[in-house]
Amino acid sequence: MLIRKPDDIPSSEITPESMYLNRRKFISTASGLAAAALVPGSLAACAADNDSQQPLADKLTPYEDVTRYNNFYEFGLDKGDPQKRSGGFRTRPWTVTVDGLVKKPGSYAFDDLIRQHQVVDRTYRLRCVEAWSMVIPAAGDSAGGGNPPRGATPAAKFVEFTTVLRPAEMPGQRRAVLDWPYTEGLRMDEAVHPLTLLATGLYGRPMPNQNGAPIRLVVPWKYGFKSIKSIVRIRFTESQPQTAWNESAPDEYGFYANVNPEVDHPRWSQARERRIGELRRRPTLPFNGYADQVAGLYQGMDLRRFY
Ligand code: MTE
C-alpha cells in the first residue's frame, strides 16, 4: 500500500527529492504501457492517469517549502504555525462520514476507504488567494469519471466538505477566527471533475499534518481556500452549501473562487503570483492554467458576478 503512517516508514524508504524528480521524469516520459510494465502496483496506474494532467513545464516546489509555508488556520494564522503546532494532531483513528442526499449514509474508517480506492499520483499547481503558489506532487483518489457517484440520489447537486473540530489539538480553533469547523463546497460537476483530488499523500509520503492529513481536497483551478484540509464529513446537498470563508467575508470570498487574474480581490490584485522559493512574480493564468479542462463548466456564467 502506498499510504502508511509516517512513523512506520524507515528513513531509508523515504525518497529524496532528487530521486523523486527523476522518477517523475521517467514516469512522465515513458509511454503508458511501458510504464505500466516497469513501475510497481499503484504507481503503474498513476502513470497513465498522470500523463495528461501534469504541468510538465513547472518545476516542483521543494518539499521543505511545501511543508513549512502553509495556511491552516486551525493551527494559527502565521504561515509557519501549521508546521510548528500540528505535531500533536492525531490522524488515526480517522472516520469520514458520508451523508445527506445519499442512498446509504454511513461512516467509514479512513484506512478502509483508501484500501478500496485506486490511488493516483498527480502533480498539481495550487494558487492561494494571497497571490503565492506552489507546484506539488500529490497522491489521492480522483473522484473521477465526471458522473455523480452512484450512491448519491438524483436530487444531489452540491457537495459540502467539513474539517474536523478538535480545539484540544488545534489551537487556532480556540479563537473565533472563523465559524469552526471549516467547511467548503463544490458543485457536483466540479466535485467529480477528473482534476479534483481527495489527496492523501505528498511527495510520495503520507500527507503531513500541516498539509491536511489524513485526507484533504485539491481543486487546482480554484483559489487554495477551496482545498479544504483534514476532512471528516462529505455531505451531498440539493442547494449550494454555506462555506466558512464565504460566510466570514462574502465580499472577498465567493463560492466559485475560480482563479481569475481579471477579478481582483477587493484588497489586492490577482493578476500576478509568486511561486514559493522564487523571487520573481509571474502572471496568473485563468483557471490557474487549467482552462482547457475546466472553462466549459462555467459556460454562460458571468465570472465577475460568480467569483
Ligand atoms: N483547510 C482548513 N481546514 N483550514 C484552513 O485554514 N486554508 C486553505 C486551504 N485549506 C485552510 C484549509 C488555504 S487559504 C490554502 S491556500 C490551502 O489550504 C493551503 O494548502 P497548503 O498548506 O497545502 O499550501
Side-chain angles (χ1 to χ4, degrees), residues 65-67 69-76 79 82 124 126-130 132 134 136 162-164 170 173 178 180-184 202 207 210-212 216-217 223-231 245:
D65 293 332
V66 174
T67 52
Y69 191 91
N70 306 100
N71 271 346
F72 198 169
Y73 277 18
E74 283 84 341
F75 293 103
K79 307 283 178 228
Y124 67 86
L126 184 85
R127 165 63 157 82
C128 191
V129 76
E130 292 157 77
W132 50 266
M134 42 172 86
I136 312 174
T162 306
T163 295
V164 71
M170 298 175 131
Q173 285 183 339
L178 287 171
W180 309 113
Y182 194 106
T183 56
E184 255 309 335
L202 188 72
M207 186 65 71
Q210 61 268 36
N211 292 87
R216 66 170 292 178
L217 206 59
Y223 290 115
F225 65 89
K226 299 296 287 183
S227 292
I228 180 173
K229 297 174 167 181
S230 305
I231 296 167
W245 280 109

Side-chain angles (χ1 to χ4, degrees), residues 62-120:
Y63 182 81
E64 287 65 33
D65 293 332
V66 174
T67 52
R68 278 184 209 158
Y69 191 91
N70 306 100
N71 271 346
F72 198 169
Y73 277 18
E74 283 84 341
F75 293 103
L77 305 188
D78 200 86
K79 307 283 178 228
D81 285 342
Q83 193 257 342
K84 282 188 217 133
R85 302 168 84 183
S86 66
F89 177 47
R90 284 180 298 111
T91 59
R92 292 296 190 287
W94 192 269
T95 306
V96 180
T97 298
V98 180
D99 63 355
L101 299 174
V102 287
K103 290 166 200 152
K104 275 194 205 153
S107 292
Y108 304 89
F110 170 75
D111 291 307
D112 294 342
L113 266 182
I114 57 170
R115 257 192 290 278
Q116 287 161 21
H117 284 79
Q118 189 183 39
V119 173
V120 300

